[in-house]
Amino acid sequence: ATIAQKDLDNLAKWLDARTFTTTFRPVPLHKRILVGNEVKDADLKVVRQLPASLPNLSGSMGPVAKLAYESLFRGDSVLVFCPSKKDCKGCVGELLQMFSNIDFKILGGELAGKEKEEFDKAASSITDRNASLRGYMLEGAAYHNGDLNEEERSIVEHAYHRGHCRLLAATSTLSTGVNLPAQRVIFLKPCKWNSSGPGKWRQELLTGSEYCQMAGRAGRMGDTAGEAFLIASKEPKMQWSEEDLAQLMKQGPNDVGSVLGAGKDVLKHALLGAVANGSVTTAESAQRYCQNTLMGAQMSPEEVGMAFQAAMRELGEKKVAAWDKGRQQYVVQQLGGAVAASGIPIEVAEVVVKDLERARDLER
């Protein structure tokens, strides 16, 4: 679902496997953009208007609240993807407050008797660090992020599966490895936080693969369709326009490439390890090693050979590996052996060696 066909073919070539592809999806997925009260498709055509009967839910969280209310009122589940852990907590708290203001309860008495006792007991076991989560869960909502320990995540997931929590705010980590689909997925913001340097962070638009993975959580067995909503604004100062969001919806999965082909540094470290463990001893074995990687499936033999030669040349220049004429094979030198054994990058090892030499000189 999140791998393009050409990349799937390369993976099959690498693994010596056959590919089987299908576009079948048990529950159809409708990808939408909300602009004001207009619901648009990827071509920015208006497919419907939000019902005029929706409560007056205004403010910066208004669009999310309207979409969530519309689905929750029908008894469906809602998953809101947030860029950060802080956003998850804030989103749930603000939505519950807005629903309280209009006297709307997510849980309308579905829990009773022993089932309610078990649910209350599970919610009470939430640690003080996530005390707010206890109250949220008793109101039918929860958040799922890195602040939760393993037991707390299990409690939230179980409650969501059982329908005891029907509103869930989560970071993008929930989109992989955890099976918690919803009838409606809402993106609080179409972005993520990425590091731009030590202590510096910036917001970036989601990639095509990230969007596909997260939007794909919409639609559970039994639903007639799943819906994934991005939210745009008509304000000119907004960082991403509805055109940007439409492009994101159409983008599809990102290219999948071997990290070995991303730059000679990665290949250089891989080859040093292979020389150290004896997997690579000659140019022929190195060529064979490279051709048996995903990089080898994505590049021509000539390109692989050039990449190998450049990496081995730099290993020699840095005096971590060399060609032993007597033994007629590649061998690791003293620094190379230490780097391979420790797993630290060659460049870091060079700095450590210089610092040690400087310290030794000071002692003399």
Side-chain angles (χ1 to χ4, degrees), residues 282-318:
T282 64
E284 291 75 18
S285 62
Q287 187 85 357
R288 196 162 50 245
Y289 170 87
C290 293
Q291 288 177 338
N292 283 326
T293 65
L294 178 59
M295 179 187 74
Q298 295 179 315
M299 297 170 63
S300 69
E302 292 75 18
E303 291 173 321
V304 171
M306 290 173 61
F308 152 70
Q309 291 171 10
M312 290 304 300
R313 183 165 53 250
E314 189 162 342
L315 289 177
E317 292 170 354
K318 291 183 175 294

Side-chain angles (χ1 to χ4, degrees), residues 32 37 43 81-82 108 151 201 215 235 291 329-330 355-356:
R32 301 289 187 242
N37 285 324
D43 294 321
F81 277 116
C82 306
E151 182 182 4
W201 295 84
E235 296 179 18
Q291 288 177 338
Q329 69 176 59
Y330 289 110
D355 286 345
L356 290 173

Side-chain angles (χ1 to χ4, degrees), residues 25-30 74 76 183 219-226:
R25 194 178 192 272
V27 181
L29 173 61
H30 300 317
R74 298 194 302 257
D76 292 326
Q183 188 279 324
R220 305 197 299 182
M221 292 303 294
D223 292 335
T224 55

Side-chain angles (χ1 to χ4, degrees), residues 206-246:
L206 294 170
T207 66
S209 291
E210 289 165 340
Y211 170 75
C212 288
Q213 187 71 45
M214 297 159 80
R217 290 297 177 186
R220 305 197 299 182
M221 292 303 294
D223 292 335
T224 55
E227 297 176 302
F229 277 89
L230 292 166
I231 299 174
S233 172
K234 293 182 178 180
E235 296 179 18
K237 292 184 179 180
M238 284 298 292
Q239 191 169 359
W240 296 289
S241 66
E242 56 184 282
E243 289 77 16
D244 293 328
L245 301 185

Side-chain angles (χ1 to χ4, degrees), residues 62 65 77 95 103 150 155 173 226 230 245 258-259 269 308 323 346 359:
S77 57
L95 287 177
D103 200 27
E150 187 173 349
I155 290 171
T173 53
L230 292 166
L245 301 185
S258 168
V259 294
H269 291 293
F308 152 70
W323 176 256
I346 298 171

Side-chain angles (χ1 to χ4, degrees), residues 9 35 43 79 115 131 138 167 171 187 189 192 207 218 240 266 270 275 285-286 317 320 330 347 364:
D9 293 338
V35 186
D43 294 321
L79 175 58
E115 192 174 45
L138 295 175
L167 171 63
T171 53
F187 291 80
K189 297 176 183 177
K192 59 185 176 181
T207 66
W240 296 289
V266 183
V275 172
S285 62
E317 292 170 354
V320 291
Y330 289 110
E347 292 74 18
R364 291 173 181 170

Side-chain angles (χ1 to χ4, degrees), residues 159-174:
Y160 185 78
H161 275 302
R162 296 289 297 274
H164 300 163
C165 284
R166 293 197 288 111
L167 171 63
L168 182 64
T171 53
S172 60
T173 53
L174 185 70

